[in-house]
Amino acid sequence: MEILKIDHLGIAVNSITKAKRFWSDVLGLAFQGIIPAEQQKVTAAYFTVGESDIEVLQSTSNEGPVAKFINEHGEGIHHVAFQVDDIEAALNELKENGIQLINEKPIIGAAGGGKIAFLHPKATGGILIELCECERKRS
Amino acid sequence: MKILNIDHLGVAVDSIDQAVSFWTDILGLSLEGTETVENQKVTTAFFPVGTNELELLESTAPDGPVAKYIAKNGPGIQHVAFRVEDLDAALAELKAKGVPLIDTVPRPGAGGARVAFFASESRQRSVG
């Protein structure tokens, strides 16, 4: 597989409104918009940083993965997403190498409809890694 | 301040030797080099990822920040590094905005860089 870049960093927060004050007002990142992702029980806000994004995630449900993450770890860095050129090929390669996946097949990503899949932290040294075959327009 | 890009992601590991093969053999990244940063009590291993980098962090002492991070959270993403145009100006701006800083003045980082750490909001994750 070929990893092209860090596509985004996912940050779990209790409040996007509060987080926006930090990422936009304090750090000066450009706010791109808010997108719901009901499949993952989150609302996502995007901030551009160079060729990557900061994806700020607020859970829409107490049962959602982001809510559970915050209950266990507090707010903070939730996952890193690497952009790949061919996610199907990447997943096949990972399966052949015995890497535990959360998504055996790609699912549709929150923003822009790209294809994404998560690797299990047990296989990655404790990190939730997302692969995405996606290209978001950044202004 | 002007943040230019994500410079790197810092990942705390128990052992760089044991962790390397996941990033190289499985994910296909290349190990660019290793460096010990004495003032952080850490050895770092760098892997280019496009114009970003992944940095593995192995503590050189039980009381180093990486060792303390792993003791509290287990191995995982310990910090994200943003490249700025002017670090001194950025720190002055953060101070003026009342953001608590871990480093009020820059310190030497890996690769001859000048770095400064701070944590966002209530979490103790370093953002440097």
Side-chain angles (χ1 to χ4, degrees):
Chain A
M1 88 180 74
E2 199 194 343
I3 292 183
L4 302 170
K5 64 174 177 182
I6 294 177
D7 184 81
H8 64 266
L9 205 59
I11 316 276
V13 301
N14 287 319
S15 158
I16 282 180
T17 306
K18 194 172 159 214
K20 201 167 164 229
R21 286 200 283 271
F22 175 71
W23 293 102
S24 273
D25 301 347
V26 175
L27 292 192
L29 302 189
F31 171 61
Q32 296 298 326
I34 291 181
I35 297 179
E38 263 321 301
Q39 196 183 19
Q40 284 107 47
K41 297 194 166 91
V42 291
T43 301
Y46 291 89
F47 302 83
T48 315
V49 52
E51 294 297 309
S52 311
D53 286 320
I54 297 294
E55 180 188 79
V56 174
L57 303 164
Q58 178 180 333
S59 191
T60 58
S61 152
N62 288 338
E63 306 304 313
V66 167
K68 289 181 184 173
F69 175 89
I70 292 178
N71 280 340
E72 204 181 316
H73 305 282
E75 298 175 288
I77 301 173
H78 177 260
H79 69 270
V80 57
F82 295 117
Q83 191 182 102
V84 293
D85 52 353
D86 183 338
I87 194 168
E88 302 265 6
L91 291 176
N92 286 336
E93 207 178 307
L94 292 170
K95 277 182 247 183
E96 273 165 32
N97 282 317
I99 298 297
Q100 191 178 352
L101 303 172
I102 291 177
N103 306 106
E104 298 273 322
K105 293 238 165 264
I107 60 176
I108 301 297
K115 293 189 276 186
I116 69 171
F118 286 89
L119 282 59
H120 201 290
K122 279 187 193 156
T124 67
I127 308 163
L128 182 58
I129 291 179
E130 175 188 332
L131 297 182
C132 72
E133 187 187 313
C134 52
E135 190 52 69
R136 256 192 308 287
K137 235 183 112 187
R138 295 182 175 91
S139 49
Chain B
M1 86 183 73
K2 178 105 174 100
I3 294 186
L4 300 169
N5 68 346
I6 294 177
D7 185 81
H8 63 267
L9 201 63
V11 172
V13 298
D14 290 317
S15 157
I16 285 176
D17 284 341
Q18 280 169 20
V20 161
S21 67
F22 171 73
W23 298 95
T24 54
D25 301 341
I26 303 294
L27 292 192
L29 304 183
S30 301
L31 172 62
E32 188 176 80
T34 61
E35 182 180 343
T36 296
V37 183
E38 281 305 336
N39 72 64
Q40 288 289 302
K41 296 183 181 167
V42 70
T43 296
T44 66
F46 280 86
F47 305 76
V49 183
T51 56
N52 316 114
E53 278 188 331
L54 188 94
E55 181 186 71
L56 295 184
L57 310 163
E58 180 185 328
S59 189
T60 59
D63 62 339
V66 170
K68 287 182 184 172
Y69 175 88
I70 291 179
K72 189 173 169 205
N73 305 289
I77 301 174
Q78 194 254 357
H79 72 269
V80 56
F82 295 116
R83 182 181 291 248
V84 294
E85 249 176 5
D86 182 332
L87 183 56
D88 297 299
L91 290 178
E93 198 178 318
L94 291 173
K95 274 182 233 173
K97 288 176 174 171
V99 176
L101 302 174
I102 293 171
D103 296 307
T104 53
V105 291
R107 62 163 86 210
R114 296 171 79 230
V115 304
F117 285 87
F118 68 99
S120 70
E121 299 175 356
S122 56
R123 284 290 273 131
Q124 291 311 303
R125 305 276 188 172
S126 305
V127 178

